[in-house]
Amino acid sequence: MIAAKAFRLALLAAGTAGGLSGAAYGLLNGQSRYARRVIGPPGNDPVRADGIHLPSGVGPVPRRELSDDVEPLELAVLGDSAAAGLGVDFPADLPGVRLARGLAEELGRPVALTTRAIVGTTSQELAAQVDAALIRPPELVMIIIGANDVTSRLPVSACAELLGDAVRRLVDAGVAVVVGTCPDLGAIRPIPQPLRSVARHWSLALGRAQRRVVEASGGRAVPLADLLSPEFLARPGEFFSPDRFHPSAAGYEAATTILLPAMCAALGEWEGGPLPPAPTRSKAAEARRPTSRIVARLNQRLHRRADS
């Protein structure tokens, strides 16, 4: 899904990098085609393991196996392929399952998981998932979204506002909401430079905007790019699945490890001590900011070649 939008990501670069020359635009266009070939389309749909998960780690089990006096916590997962768990082969590795079982263990009660996340979803389609969730409002919703906004070159401010609207609707319905903000697309090695730096710049900007609107709307934001970029940059072979774009089981485990405490805290059930404030921007992300300088040098180099 992401690879199919690689050409639009090149257009994004041309529109935001400060006026690319025709030669540089052509290079980015070629890089987008290369990334599309290397990443390729998703090989299959995500596996699913919705249902009731027990504190013992068993699940999903039929509701009839619960005692009459036991009411599971209702958890809904919304968003895109990262929320759906594309990239893993076994149900136990899905982020929703990891979170459901982690919550069940922390709370000492079963958790009923419903996954409404859809591969390829942008913030423009998120409202439909919220509509479905609010038919029978869960107690907790986890959202991961943003990567497809970047590759579809949708405006940062508009996408952030759409996410804020979704969070407000859920909060107004009495639902606790945790959002994993847009991941750092600059960690994806098949996207070549300088296109990768443009993707990094755009995704980090979206993540910051998402964090502001989520917190203003009553939700909890977990800045995935700032917290996970160092790990994914240092260990791409371990943290990415074979498609080299979506997380592997280890990558999802790293993400859910930092999401789980925020989800417990959103329910008022965290007993692991005060949650440390999340960084506004990680050192790894800060070190990779000079997108405009990279593009400017690229233009200069291509102009010199053309004049020689």
Side-chain angles (χ1 to χ4, degrees):
M1 179 58 65
I2 297 298
K5 298 176 180 176
F7 176 67
R8 282 179 287 188
L9 183 54
L11 295 180
L12 173 158
T16 61
L20 286 172
S21 69
Y25 178 88
L27 175 61
L28 289 174
N29 189 359
Q31 289 184 334
S32 73
R33 290 195 297 269
Y34 171 78
R36 183 168 59 247
R37 290 195 306 270
V38 171
I39 298 173
N44 53 274
D45 293 330
V47 295
R48 288 292 176 92
D50 286 4
I52 297 174
H53 295 265
L54 305 179
S56 62
V58 175
V61 300
R63 190 175 290 262
R64 63 177 180 272
E65 292 191 11
L66 301 182
S67 302
D68 292 339
D69 60 344
V70 174
E71 188 65 26
L73 180 139
E74 299 285 342
L75 166 67
V77 175
L78 279 56
D80 57 21
S81 58
L86 188 62
V88 300
D89 298 321
F90 302 103
D93 295 326
L94 292 168
V97 171
R98 287 185 178 277
L99 291 170
R101 293 179 179 178
L103 284 169
E105 182 179 2
E106 288 288 339
L107 305 180
R109 61 183 287 203
V111 173
L113 170 66
T114 301
T115 303
R116 302 194 182 277
I118 300 172
V119 175
T121 293
T122 70
S123 295
Q124 293 177 332
E125 290 92 45
L126 184 60
Q129 295 183 20
V130 174
D131 291 341
L134 288 178
I135 293 173
R136 185 170 179 264
E139 295 173 65
L140 176 64
V141 162
M142 191 277 291
I143 303 172
I144 299 178
I145 201 154
N148 294 305
D149 295 334
V150 174
T151 58
S152 298
R153 63 186 183 95
L154 299 176
V156 166
S157 59
C159 292
E161 285 305 317
L162 288 169
L163 175 59
D165 291 343
V167 173
R168 278 189 291 273
R169 290 178 60 200
L170 291 164
V171 171
D172 289 346
V175 180
V177 182
V178 174
V179 176
T181 58
C182 184
D184 179 5
L185 298 190
I188 302 171
R189 299 295 179 86
I191 302 176
Q193 294 287 17
L195 188 59
R196 195 191 320 158
S197 290
V198 176
R200 169 174 286 120
H201 174 81
W202 195 274
S203 56
L204 294 177
L206 178 57
R208 292 193 297 272
Q210 287 177 326
R211 183 176 180 179
R212 288 192 295 269
V213 299
V214 167
E215 292 175 349
S217 301
R220 288 178 177 263
V222 178
L224 296 182
D226 292 308
L227 295 172
L228 292 177
S229 282
E231 295 284 357
F232 277 77
L233 288 166
R235 301 155 68 185
E238 180 181 352
F239 275 59
F240 283 102
S241 64
D243 70 7
R244 300 172 65 194
F245 179 82
H246 295 94
S248 64
Y252 283 122
E253 181 180 16
T256 55
T257 296
I258 63 174
L259 285 166
L260 182 60
M263 295 171 69
C264 291
L267 294 168
E269 298 286 351
W270 178 246
E271 298 180 357
L275 292 178
T280 302
R281 191 178 182 88
S282 69
K283 292 181 180 180
E286 187 69 31
R288 291 167 173 80
R289 289 190 62 184
T291 304
S292 59
R293 294 199 296 272
I294 290 174
V295 174
R297 287 198 297 270
L298 173 66
N299 277 327
Q300 292 173 359
R301 188 179 308 121
L302 291 171
H303 279 307
R304 284 198 298 269
R305 290 179 181 175
D307 295 338
S308 60

